[in-house]
């Protein structure tokens, strides 16, 4: 039973939301960031990049978090942000040139995270967990929802459909040609229907935002210890999420680029691969896998198709069936000497849906010796691994939608 509740969002006024909301701070290059800050006084990037106001970018973590809080207060004082008077769910639809996503922004329970009702598929780094916990504690808000997915539910879908027939509270386009719409659900009957419908959902799966989830839970534990009157109903016991039905989630693969062959020549490397793979040299023909356990490889100016020898490879559990894990356990670790696939500088990951020749172009440029591609992981594989209490290797999934910052803000 998933606990999903409405909350009073802090959000931009309708006339300014297109200028306020932004992509995640980490996406912008320094040049892009400077341009946004210089020419848009309303962008939320001014809040999360507070040193710009004082022409000072090199500031301590503690001072930065304090200034973020101050810039946030200024946006509220200037009525750029206003807090809703009633708790609400927020139906958010993002329409891109290729996909349409529609789900519900809501508050979910940290207890559900601890009780494994909300499940994760990736590991997290303790350093990043603590950094974001400290950020939340000092700023007092979260502006990016965690992306959760749930099994398709007819009742929830019907409510969403009902509101989409009405005029949206927000409707704006961005320069990347995406259309964003948001409807406010503050009717008591509809709130109850949504709340009750999610009680029938046994499991919510984290699609994106593992560190934000964990950090929110760490903060809740910290604030509970500091609050002698803790009841469990305080806002810090919940965190903001965007709940999307499984059928609407889009999962893409990451390509892998390796900087050296671990002392092997190209011919020696191919001989090593022959143990676990049937190898076909496709020459200059672009090869992209069409089945699980098939891999594309680009080496020395030529494409190769690698087909796993299933009579040799031992499938032991859900993780061992995952293509990213197969590549790691048969190639990256034993042949190329890459033990720590999260931190080893020899491996680089890239997701570029617009460039089908990426495996070739990046190797031909000279920075890498070999590259690998595979089919994307599907939602059933993800769920099987999670339900088996296993974790995927890093950079197994690139999941959309990617959400905007400051469309709705959760305070605690």
């Amino acid at each position: 039973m998933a606990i999903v509740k409405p909350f009073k969002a802090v959000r931009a006024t309708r006339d300014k939301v297109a200028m306020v909301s932004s992509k995640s701070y980490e996406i912008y290059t320094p040049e892009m960031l400077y341009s946004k800050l210089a020419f848009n006084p309303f962008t939320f990037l001014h809040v999360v990049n507070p040193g710009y106001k004082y022409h000072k970018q090199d500031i301590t973590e503690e001072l930065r978090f304090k200034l973020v809080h101050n810039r946030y207060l200024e946006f509220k004082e200037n009525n750029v942000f206003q807090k809703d008077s009633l708790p609400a769910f927020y139906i958010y639809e993002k329409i891109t040139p290729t996909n349409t996503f529609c789900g519900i922004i809501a508050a979910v329970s940290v207890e559900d995270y601890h009780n494994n009702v909300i499940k994760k598929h990736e590991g997290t780094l303790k350093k990043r967990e603590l950094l974001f916990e400290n950020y939340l504690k000092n700023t007092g808000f979260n502006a990016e929802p965690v992306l959760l997915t749930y099994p398709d539910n007819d009742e929830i879908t019907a409510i969403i459909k009902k509101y989409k027939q009405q005029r949206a509270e927000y409707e704006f386009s961005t320069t990347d040609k995406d259309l964003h719409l948001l409807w406010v659900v503050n009717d008591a009957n509809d709130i109850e229907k949504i709340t009750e419908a999610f009680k029938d959902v046994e499991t919510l799966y984290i699609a994106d935002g593992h560190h934000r989830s964990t950090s929110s839970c760490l903060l809740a534990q910290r604030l509970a210890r500091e609050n002698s009157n803790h009841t469990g109903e305080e806002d810090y016991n919940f965190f903001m999420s965007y709940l999307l039905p499984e059928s609407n989630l889009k999962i893409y693969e990451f390509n892998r680029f390796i900087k050296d062959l671990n002392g092997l020549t190209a011919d020696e490397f191919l001989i090593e691969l022959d143990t676990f793979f049937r190898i076909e040299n496709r020459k200059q023909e672009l090869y992209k896998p069409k089945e699980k356990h098939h891999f594309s490889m680009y080496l020395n100016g030529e494409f190769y198709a690698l087909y796993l020898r299933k009579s040799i490879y031992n499938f032991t559990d859900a993780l061992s069936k995952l293509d990213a894990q197969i590549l790691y356990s048969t190639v990256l670790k034993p042949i190329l000497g890459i033990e720590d696939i999260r931190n080893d500088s020899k491996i680089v990951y890239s997701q570029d849906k617009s460039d089908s020749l990426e495996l070739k172009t990046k190797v031909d440029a000279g920075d890498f010796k070999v590259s690998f591609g595979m089919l994307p992981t599907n939602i059933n594989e993800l769920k099987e691994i999670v339900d088996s209490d296993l974790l995927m290797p890093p950079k197994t999934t690139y999941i959309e939608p990617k959400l905007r910052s400051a469309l709705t803000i959760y305070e605690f």
Side-chain angles (χ1 to χ4, degrees):
M1 183 181 78
I3 300 172
V4 175
K5 61 178 287 187
F7 67 101
K8 297 178 183 179
V10 174
R11 52 192 182 87
T13 55
R14 183 186 293 181
D15 63 309
K16 295 185 179 66
V17 63
M19 294 181 287
V20 171
S21 69
S22 69
K23 294 179 181 179
S24 178
Y25 173 80
E26 297 175 348
I27 290 178
Y28 296 96
T29 64
E31 294 77 18
M32 292 168 61
L33 182 60
Y34 180 82
S35 176
K36 294 285 186 181
L37 293 169
F39 296 104
N40 183 356
F42 297 113
T43 176
F44 185 69
L45 295 170
H46 281 290
V47 175
V48 292
N49 194 69
Y52 176 82
K53 180 177 181 178
Y54 300 104
H55 308 286
K56 185 176 178 63
Q57 298 300 311
D58 186 19
I59 56 179
T60 65
E61 176 184 302
E62 182 179 354
L63 178 58
R64 176 173 176 260
F65 294 166
K66 178 181 178 180
L67 291 176
V68 167
H69 178 71
N70 293 345
R71 295 293 80 71
Y72 177 64
L73 291 180
E74 286 180 5
F75 269 51
K76 293 180 71 176
E77 290 161 358
N78 292 330
N79 290 319
V80 176
F81 286 142
Q82 296 178 352
K83 189 167 186 175
D84 284 341
S85 58
L86 296 173
F89 290 117
Y90 302 88
I91 296 172
Y92 169 52
E93 183 173 54
K94 177 180 179 179
I95 303 174
T96 76
T98 56
N99 292 304
T100 296
F101 306 98
C102 192
I104 297 176
I105 299 174
V108 298
S109 169
V110 298
E111 283 303 310
D112 278 354
Y113 182 90
H114 293 306
N115 294 333
N116 220 25
V117 174
I118 298 174
K119 294 184 178 181
K120 61 183 181 179
H121 69 264
E122 288 184 358
T124 51
L125 299 173
K126 194 65 179 179
K127 183 178 180 179
R128 287 192 63 190
E129 292 175 8
L130 296 175
L131 174 67
F132 195 63
E133 179 203 359
N134 195 31
Y135 171 86
L136 294 174
K137 176 67 166 62
N138 283 277
T139 62
F141 69 85
N142 184 15
E144 284 190 36
V146 172
L147 178 59
L148 300 178
T149 189
Y150 63 90
D152 289 47
N153 181 289
D154 289 341
E155 188 169 2
I156 298 171
T157 299
I159 296 172
I160 290 175
K161 184 177 180 180
K162 167 188 167 183
Y163 275 84
K164 285 177 63 176
Q165 294 173 351
Q166 304 173 15
R167 182 192 178 190
E169 171 71 11
Y170 293 157
E171 182 175 5
F172 65 96
S173 295
T174 46
T175 54
D176 51 8
K177 300 181 180 179
D178 292 344
L179 175 63
H180 304 269
L181 302 103
L182 183 134
W183 294 263
V184 179
V185 182
N186 54 24
D187 176 82
N189 289 331
D190 289 334
I191 284 176
E192 184 178 3
K193 288 177 183 178
I194 293 172
T195 303
E196 291 300 313
F198 274 108
K199 287 182 180 179
D200 293 332
V201 176
E202 292 184 6
T203 306
L204 299 172
Y205 296 88
I206 300 175
D208 195 13
H210 287 79
H211 284 93
R212 276 171 278 148
S213 303
T214 306
S215 299
S216 296
C217 294
L218 290 173
L219 178 64
Q221 292 174 328
R222 177 177 172 181
L223 295 179
R225 290 192 300 268
E226 296 174 359
N227 183 3
S228 59
N229 297 315
H230 173 78
T231 66
E233 294 300 318
E234 295 86 356
D235 288 336
Y236 59 72
N237 295 291
F238 303 86
F239 58 94
M240 183 172 64
S241 296
Y242 180 52
L243 297 119
L244 195 72
E246 290 174 3
S247 63
N248 203 190
L249 198 70
K250 301 298 179 185
I251 305 178
Y252 303 93
E253 76 282 6
F254 275 97
N255 295 324
R256 277 121 167 93
F257 297 83
I258 315 301
K259 294 183 178 179
D260 64 64
L261 297 181
N262 200 27
L264 300 173
T265 66
D267 287 340
E268 290 170 339
F269 178 58
L270 289 169
I271 291 172
E272 291 289 334
L273 289 178
D274 192 65
T275 300
F276 279 102
F277 299 94
R278 180 168 59 88
I279 305 171
E280 288 184 3
N281 187 340
R282 298 297 185 94
K283 303 293 184 180
Q284 296 301 309
E285 176 193 354
L286 171 65
Y287 171 71
K288 292 180 75 75
K290 293 183 173 62
E291 297 181 25
K292 288 292 180 184
H293 314 327
H294 292 185
F295 302 84
S296 57
M297 181 178 76
Y298 187 77
L299 173 71
N300 264 13
E302 296 179 327
F303 285 99
Y304 292 83
L306 308 181
Y307 307 113
L308 182 68
R309 299 185 191 276
K310 297 179 183 178
S311 60
I312 301 296
Y313 185 81
N314 187 22
F315 294 108
T316 57
D317 54 23
L319 182 60
S320 69
K321 301 174 188 176
L322 193 69
D323 283 349
Q325 181 66 22
I326 291 171
L327 189 67
Y328 171 69
S329 60
T330 61
V331 181
L332 301 183
K333 180 179 178 181
I335 301 177
L336 296 175
I338 299 173
E339 295 272 352
D340 184 355
I341 53 177
R342 184 186 295 275
N343 298 309
D344 197 313
S345 61
K346 287 169 57 177
I347 185 169
V348 172
Y349 304 90
S350 177
Q351 207 301 313
D352 191 348
K353 301 189 296 297
S354 65
D355 184 5
S356 60
L357 287 173
E358 184 187 48
L359 292 180
K360 170 182 168 62
T361 55
K362 289 191 175 181
V363 173
D364 286 349
D367 294 331
F368 305 98
K369 290 294 186 182
V370 64
S371 58
F372 298 94
M374 65 195 80
L375 282 180
T377 302
N378 61 51
I379 187 63
N380 291 325
E381 289 179 299
L382 185 151
K383 290 170 63 176
E384 184 181 8
I385 288 172
V386 171
D387 292 340
S388 301
D389 294 325
L390 300 169
L391 296 176
M392 290 184 175
K395 300 297 184 181
T396 298
T397 57
Y398 179 89
I399 295 179
E400 289 188 342
K402 297 301 179 187
L403 304 177
R404 293 184 74 77
S405 295
L407 198 64
T408 58
I409 296 174
Y410 186 80
E411 292 184 334
F412 36 82

